[in-house]
Amino acid sequence: MLDLLAPAAPRPVHLAVQEVSKRFGRFLALDRVSLEVREGELVAFLGPSGCGKTTLLRAIAGLDPPTEGRIIQAGRDITLLPPGQRDVGIVFQSYALFPNLDVRRNIAYGLRGPAWPREKVKARVAELLAMVGLEEHAGKYPAQLSGGQQQRVALARALANRPALLLLDEPRSALDAIVRSRLRTEIRALQKSLGVTTILVTHDQEEALSISDRIVVMNAGRIEQIGTPEEVYRRPASAFVAGFVGRAGSFTAEVEAPRRLRAGPVRIEAEAAASLTPGQAARAFIRPEDVRLGPDAAGHPGAFEAVVTGVEFLGALCRVHLLAEGVRLEAEIPSAQLRHLGLDRTARILVAIPADRVMTYPEG
Amino acid sequence: MASLSWRRALRPTPTLEQRLVGLSLALAGLLMLAALVLPLASVLIRAFQDGEGRFVGLAHVAAYLATPNLAAAAWNSFWTAAVTMLCVVPAAFAYAYALTRCCVPLKPLFRAVMLLPVLAPSLLPALALIYLFGNQGMLRWLLMGESVYGPIGIVLAQVFYCFPHAALILSVALSGADARLYEAAAVLKAGRGRIFATVTLPGAMGGIVSASVVVFTLVVTDFGIPKVIGGQFPVLATEIYKQVIGQQNFHMGAVVGLVLLLPAVAAFLIDLWAQRRQASVVSGRAVPLQPQPRPARDGPLFAFCLLVAGLLMGLVGVAVWGSFIRFWPWNLELTLANYDFARFDSAGWGSLWTSVRMAFFTALFGTVLVFLLAYLIERGGVGGPLPRLLGLAATLPLAVPGLVLGLAYILFFNDPANPLGFLYGSLALMVLNCIIHFYTVCHLTAVTAIRQLDPEFESVGASLRVPIWITFGRVTLPICLPATVDIFVYFFVNAMTTVSAVVFLYGPDTKPASVAVIHMDEAGQVSAAAAMAVAILAINILLKLLHLAAAGRIEQTTQAWRRR
C-alpha cells in the first residue's frame, strides 16, 4: 500500500490547522497544534488514547470548537462554523447508525431539501450501496449487520453529500484483526478512487503505516512528528515516536564518544549519537529487523555476544529475545533462518547492529 | 498570520438551533420557578410569619410543639410508617424474588395482580377494610374487640396500598442478576445460604433501601387512608388538612407541612445515596441469570404468591362487591343504586368526568413537557448551570409530599398579590399541580430511555445538515415511544387516584372523583364512596388494557429494528 514511487506533486492545501488549542476546564487537551492537509491526501492522526487526536478531529468537524487558534478549509475560515456549514463527512467512533432506520434510510439521512428530489436521492443511494457493496442489505436494520457492514453504512452515509473532507474516527467496537485489515484496504481504495481528502484517527500504528500518505503522531495534546509512514518509522523525531510507531527494543546508555554508545560493558556504534554530547545519558531504540544474528553479524566491527532468552514463533517470522550484559534486544528473522541458526533456549549467539540503524535520543 | 487577534479565546456565535434550545430551557426554568420553587418558598416563609406578614421566628414552631395533638401526630405518622415498612418490604421481597429468580407458574398473572392496587385510589383498600372490619364489618370478631378505625386500619390499608410499589422496585432490582457471579460462587463451593447472603442480597441492597424509603414516604405523606379509616387517631397528613381546611390556620399548616417535608426529604436523600452506591453492580457485559426449577424453594414461594395475590384480589373484590350491595351488611341484595352519585354528591358523575379530563390533560401536557425537557437537558448541547439546575428541579418533586405541594399552591396562587391568582380553583392549576407532583418518576424514565441512545446521534444530524428537531422526530422519539407511552399512562393513572394535593385546590365546578370519595365517606355514604373508588379503578384498568393493546402495536411499528 505504500506509494514509495509516487512523485511528491505539490497539491494545494485543503485544510490548515493553525495553532489550535482546546481546553476542558483546566485540562489542556490540545496545545497549539498546527498542520496542513493537502487535497486528496489521506492523513492519519496516530497516538495513544487521550493524546488529543479525537479532540482535534472533533474540532475540525465543528462538533467541539477549539478554544484558540484557526482552522481553514479550502481558503475559508471555518473555526467557529457549526458542522452543518462545513464541507465534511464524519464516520463516528460508534458509527452512530440510527437503529430504527434501515440501511437505505440511514444512507439517505442527509439527502434532503430542495437539492435532493426523491428520484435523485434514490439514484444516489443506489450508487452508494453499490460503492460499499451492500446492495442486498439495503432493507436491513443496523442491528442485523456485522460490525464491518455497519462501518460501510456509516461510510456511505458520510459520503452521501459528496463532502470535500472525510473524517474517520477510530471504531470503538473491536473488529477482529482480519476484518479490520480488509476494511482499511477498502477504505484506502475508495478514498483513492473518489479522491476525497481524508483524515483518519487511529491508535493502531499498523493501520496508520499501511494506508496513509502522511502520519501525524500525537502525544499529550501535542504533535510529535508529521511525516510519511516511512519517515515516521525510519527517522522518528522523538523517543516517543520511536517507541510508539513500530516495534523496537530499547535501552538506556551513555554517549561515550561522538558516535558510540555504552550500555554496561556493551559498546554500540551509533551514527545518530553524533548529535549528542559525550557523557550524556541517552535512550537507544533498535528495530527488530535491523538486528543481525550469527553469520550475518560476523565480521561487523563491534559485534558482541548475547544470550537467547526466548523465541516466539509468529508464522513467517520468528522473534528472538536477546540479553547481552543487561541490554535487552529483540530480533525478527525469517522462520527458515531460525532452523538454520539452530537456536535453542540457552544458545549464545553473535549480534551486530548497523551503526546507521540505531535511533538515539537524549534521555529524560 | 502576524495578527495575534485570533489567539484569544474563541467564542462561537450560537446558531438558530442553539438559540431555540436555550430559549426553551429558559422557559422551562420559568415554569419550574413558578410551579415548584416559588410555591415551596411561600410555605417556608409562611411558617415564620404572622398574620400581617411580620417575621416571628420560631413562634409557630414553638406553638406547634406545645400542641399535644400535633406532636402526637408526628410520632403516630412515624411509627405507623415504620410498621408498614417492616411488613411490606420482606413480603414484597419474597414476592419479587419468586417472580424473578424462581420457576413459579402463573408469573404473568401474579405480575398483573401486583399492579392492581396502583390503579386504585388509596381509599379503596381502606373502604374495603371498613366493609370487613368496620362497625358493621363481617369479620369484626377477628379483631377481638379492637377497632379498625385507628392504627390497625391504617397499617392494614397501607400495607395493601404500598405493596405494589415495593414489589415493583424489588423486581427491577432482582431482575438484573449476573449469572457469572452465581457460577463463580458455586465453583468456589459456596452453599445456597452463603450465595444468597453474599451475592443476591448485596446485589438487591439498593432496591431494598429504595423500597423501604418509598414505602415509608408513601405512608407518612398519604392522606386518603388515615382520612377514611384513621378515626380519632391523629397523623401529620390529616392534621395539616384540619389546620388548613378546618381551621383556616395557614401558618400552622405551613409548620406541619415543614414537619411533613422533613422525613420525605430525608428519605429522598437516603435513596439518592443508596442509588449512587448501587450504580454499577450489573455491568453491560453481564450474562442474564436463568432461574432453574427447584421444588423445595418454588413450592412454598408459589403458595406465598397465591396467598398474597388472593389477599390483593380479595380486598379489591370486597370493595367492588360492597359497591353493589344495597345496605351492608344487612341487605346483601345487588343493586346499582350506589352508582347514582347525584343522590350523594351534588357533582354526581360530573366529578368523575372532571377527574378524567384532569388526568388526560396532565398526561398529555406532562408527557410532552417531561420528554422534551429531559431531551433538551440531556442532548441540547447547552452549557452552563441551567441544564443541571433544571435536572435538579426535576428530581425535587419526589421529595415533596402532595399535601405540602397542595398547601404551597394555595399559599402561592391564592395570594391576592399574585397575578397568576386567577388560576386558583381552575382545572388548569390542578393539572399543573399533578404534573409537578408526579414529575420525577416520569423524568427519570425519560432520561433512562434517552441515555440509551448513542450520544452522537445529534452530531450525525448536525454533520449531515439535518436540524435537531428532525433527528428528534425521526430517531429519538420513535425509539423512545414505549417509554413515552409509559409516562403518559403513569401520569394518567396517578392523576386519577390522587387526593393529597388536589384536595386543597379544587373549585366548585372542578371537584375530582377522588375528593368526592372522601366527601361521601365523610357524610357516611360508605357504599357510594366505594362505588366512586371502583369507578376510578375501572377507568384506570381500562386505560391499562388499552395501553397493553397499544403497546403491542407500537412494538410492531416502531420497534421492529430490535428484532434480529
Side-chain angles (χ1 to χ4, degrees):
Chain A
M1 296 301 127
L2 251 151
D3 293 318
L4 292 174
L5 302 176
R11 285 171 291 190
V13 172
H14 177 71
L15 182 82
V17 174
Q18 297 168 349
E19 304 255 328
V20 160
S21 298
K22 174 78 183 177
R23 266 170 215 286
F24 294 105
R26 284 217 192 118
F27 176 65
L28 188 59
L30 287 177
D31 185 6
R32 301 246 215 123
V33 166
S34 297
L35 62 97
E36 286 182 344
V37 179
R38 295 183 173 277
E39 253 169 41
E41 218 180 7
L42 194 162
V43 170
F45 293 174
L46 175 66
S49 61
C51 72
K53 54 192 194 295
T54 292
T55 309
L56 180 56
L57 191 85
R58 292 179 71 87
I60 294 170
L63 297 170
D64 293 316
T67 33
E68 273 169 47
R70 232 172 16 160
I71 302 174
I72 296 185
Q73 183 186 19
R76 190 164 69 121
D77 187 337
I78 59 162
T79 317
L80 296 178
L81 288 184
Q85 291 176 34
R86 304 175 181 218
D87 197 5
V88 293
I90 310 168
V91 174
F92 288 85
Q93 218 165 34
S94 58
Y95 307 140
L97 298 177
F98 301 123
N100 61 325
L101 304 181
D102 62 16
V103 169
R104 189 179 280 115
R105 291 200 181 88
N106 259 291
I107 293 177
Y109 196 78
L111 306 177
R112 50 190 292 282
W116 290 98
R118 188 181 291 258
E119 283 309 305
K120 202 173 154 197
V121 171
K122 216 173 158 189
R124 178 66 178 149
V125 171
E127 189 185 351
L128 287 159
L129 280 170
M131 187 179 84
V132 295
L134 287 175
E135 292 101 324
E136 58 286 28
H137 302 293
K140 286 190 183 170
Y141 289 106
Q144 297 164 321
L145 302 177
S146 71
Q149 289 167 333
Q150 289 179 9
Q151 192 183 26
R152 289 183 218 185
V153 177
L155 189 65
R157 184 176 68 181
L159 287 170
N161 260 326
R162 295 194 169 77
L165 178 62
L166 176 65
L167 305 175
L168 301 167
D169 205 348
E170 180 164 44
R172 197 186 297 143
S173 59
L175 297 174
D176 71 72
I178 295 168
V179 172
R180 215 180 145 121
S181 137
R182 201 179 64 217
L183 278 169
R184 67 175 173 242
T185 319
E186 280 177 18
I187 287 177
R188 176 58 158 168
L190 200 62
Q191 185 263 339
K192 284 217 139 181
S193 70
L194 297 173
V196 58
T197 314
T198 302
I199 294 175
L200 166 82
V201 158
T202 180
H203 78 277
D204 179 351
Q205 36 109 0
E206 194 189 326
E207 181 165 279
L209 289 171
S210 62
I211 65 170
S212 32
D213 294 309
R214 285 192 304 150
I215 297 177
V216 176
V217 186
M218 297 185 64
N219 184 34
R222 274 192 288 269
I223 291 180
E224 294 271 343
Q225 186 175 8
I226 303 179
T228 64
E230 211 202 353
E231 280 165 3
V232 169
Y233 186 79
R234 277 288 155 219
R235 293 192 296 284
S238 65
F240 173 80
V241 178
F244 189 77
V245 180
R247 271 189 91 90
S250 94
F251 53 90
T252 49
E254 189 192 309
V255 181
E256 196 182 45
R259 285 165 191 278
R260 195 161 71 235
L261 297 174
R262 186 179 66 83
V266 180
R267 289 185 166 73
I268 294 168
E269 297 292 321
E271 286 177 9
S275 59
L276 305 180
T277 36
Q280 197 178 354
R283 177 157 282 271
F285 294 84
I286 295 159
R287 300 277 181 219
E289 67 272 24
D290 292 336
V291 177
R292 307 267 178 274
L293 293 182
D296 291 346
H300 259 280
F304 52 90
E305 269 210 337
V307 178
V308 177
T309 56
V311 176
E312 281 176 69
F313 181 69
L314 305 174
L317 290 178
C318 280
R319 185 173 299 143
V320 183
H321 295 271
L322 303 158
L323 181 65
E325 307 288 345
V327 176
R328 289 191 179 278
L329 289 171
E330 276 180 20
E332 274 173 15
I333 54 171
S335 295
Q337 200 187 338
L338 184 79
R339 281 194 297 280
H340 198 70
L341 289 170
L343 290 173
D344 58 32
R345 280 194 132 266
T346 51
R348 295 185 72 83
I349 195 164
L350 200 61
V351 176
I353 300 155
D356 59 339
R357 291 297 167 89
V358 183
M359 305 178 283
T360 314
Y361 306 90
E363 175 81 328
Chain B
M1 221 166 297
S3 155
L4 287 175
S5 62
W6 47 267
R7 273 280 184 75
R8 53 196 165 80
L10 300 165
R11 188 160 303 161
T13 45
T15 58
L16 172 71
E17 205 173 289
Q18 285 165 328
R19 279 170 211 267
L20 276 175
V21 171
L23 183 72
S24 316
L25 282 175
L27 284 176
L30 280 181
L31 181 72
M32 284 292 179
L33 201 67
L36 177 65
V37 179
L38 292 179
L40 285 179
S42 58
V43 175
L44 274 174
I45 292 168
R46 200 58 77 96
F48 302 104
Q49 271 180 348
D50 70 1
E52 271 81 57
R54 284 185 298 256
F55 181 72
V56 294
L58 298 175
H60 295 308
V61 178
Y64 170 84
L65 290 174
T67 316
N69 216 26
L70 288 176
W75 167 242
N76 288 342
S77 282
F78 177 83
W79 78 258
T80 47
V83 170
T84 308
M85 185 179 90
L86 290 177
C87 297
V88 166
V89 174
F93 184 89
Y95 197 83
Y97 188 82
L99 290 186
T100 53
R101 298 290 180 86
C102 306
C103 291
V104 170
L106 303 179
K107 273 187 193 176
L109 178 75
F110 286 142
R111 267 180 218 284
V113 171
M114 181 177 94
L115 288 174
L116 201 56
V118 178
L119 303 178
S122 66
L123 308 156
L124 187 106
L127 292 169
L129 286 172
I130 289 176
Y131 278 129
L132 291 175
F133 303 108
N135 291 336
Q136 270 88 49
M138 290 183 140
L139 304 174
R140 196 171 164 217
W141 51 273
L142 271 175
L143 293 177
M144 290 178 291
E146 297 289 327
S147 168
V148 79
Y149 297 100
I152 298 179
I154 291 181
V155 169
L156 281 177
Q158 295 287 13
V159 165
F160 175 89
Y161 167 62
C162 297
F163 181 84
H165 296 272
L168 261 178
I169 294 171
L170 288 167
S171 12
V172 172
L174 283 168
S175 59
D178 188 348
R180 295 172 307 174
L181 287 179
Y182 285 85
E183 283 165 4
V187 169
L188 293 168
K189 301 198 182 1
R192 282 194 195 105
R194 188 145 174 248
I195 292 180
F196 185 81
T198 54
V199 182
T200 309
L201 269 185
M205 209 26 109
I208 294 173
V209 172
S210 245
S212 310
V213 162
V214 163
V215 170
F216 188 89
T217 323
L218 278 175
V219 177
V220 169
T221 59
D222 181 65
F223 170 68
I225 288 175
K227 182 81 188 74
V228 169
I229 208 171
Q232 298 305 311
F233 184 74
V235 295
L236 284 174
T238 46
E239 284 311 308
I240 194 174
Y241 181 74
K242 273 188 210 155
Q243 293 293 337
V244 173
I245 301 295
Q247 306 178 10
Q248 296 285 316
N249 185 348
F250 291 102
H251 302 288
M252 196 51 77
V255 174
V256 184
L258 286 188
V259 175
L260 199 55
L261 204 54
L262 286 180
V265 169
F268 175 73
L269 293 177
I270 293 173
D271 193 36
L272 215 62
W273 168 82
Q275 297 295 326
R276 203 154 291 170
R277 290 190 31 159
Q278 180 78 6
S280 60
V281 169
V282 178
S283 74
R285 274 177 299 175
V287 180
L289 182 73
Q290 294 295 335
Q292 301 299 321
R294 190 155 65 79
R297 171 198 65 192
D298 297 345
L301 277 173
F302 179 57
F304 176 77
C305 286
L306 276 180
L307 177 71
V308 170
L311 285 175
L312 295 182
M313 291 283 281
L315 215 49
V316 172
V318 165
V320 174
W321 183 42
S323 74
F324 290 106
I325 294 296
R326 189 169 293 284
F327 188 50
W328 188 275
W330 316 112
N331 181 353
L332 294 183
E333 189 188 326
L334 293 180
T335 175
L336 283 173
N338 297 320
Y339 285 83
D340 187 7
F341 296 129
R343 286 203 304 144
F344 311 101
D345 189 280
S346 57
W349 279 86
S351 62
L352 199 65
W353 174 236
T354 304
S355 269
V356 170
R357 279 192 305 156
M358 182 179 86
F360 176 74
F361 288 124
T362 300
L364 185 69
F365 295 121
T367 307
V368 172
L369 177 70
V370 160
F371 199 76
L372 275 180
L373 186 55
Y375 180 72
L376 293 178
I377 290 175
E378 287 294 313
R379 295 291 159 84
V382 171
L386 188 56
R388 219 155 351 125
L389 281 177
L390 281 170
L392 196 68
T395 46
L396 190 61
L398 195 63
V400 181
L403 281 170
V404 177
L405 195 65
L407 177 65
Y409 271 48
I410 301 192
L411 295 179
F412 182 68
F413 287 99
N414 207 17
D415 192 321
N418 190 334
L420 296 170
F422 68 91
L423 286 171
Y424 189 72
S426 70
L427 195 69
L429 191 68
M430 284 153 64
V431 166
L432 182 66
N433 182 275
C434 284
I435 290 176
I436 297 295
H437 186 182
F438 303 112
Y439 199 92
T440 306
V441 171
C442 299
H443 175 74
L444 295 179
T445 308
V447 165
T448 308
I450 290 166
R451 284 203 183 145
Q452 280 168 358
L453 304 182
D454 193 310
E456 302 282 22
F457 281 167
E458 285 72 30
S459 301
V460 172
S463 76
L464 294 171
R465 290 169 212 160
V466 178
I468 190 169
W469 48 88
I470 301 251
T471 303
F472 178 82
R474 278 196 70 186
V475 181
T476 313
L477 199 54
I479 293 178
C480 295
L481 202 57
T484 324
V485 175
D486 287 348
I487 293 173
F488 184 94
V489 171
Y490 181 89
F491 265 131
F492 188 96
V493 165
N494 279 292
M496 279 303 290
T497 58
T498 190
V499 182
S500 56
V502 293
V503 78
F504 291 137
L505 300 177
Y506 68 90
D509 319 320
T510 54
K511 187 203 277 188
S514 54
V515 175
V517 176
I518 292 201
H519 287 174
M520 290 191 274
D521 175 69
E522 264 177 348
Q525 315 283 4
V526 178
S527 297
M532 186 65 98
V534 168
I536 295 174
L537 174 66
I539 288 174
N540 276 344
I541 290 179
L542 195 69
L543 182 83
K544 194 72 198 168
L545 290 177
L546 271 177
H547 177 203
L548 288 178
R553 293 284 295 277
I554 291 169
E555 196 79 12
Q556 291 273 317
T557 50
T558 67
Q559 310 292 309
W561 53 273
R562 287 192 199 270
R563 289 191 293 269
R564 287 200 160 250

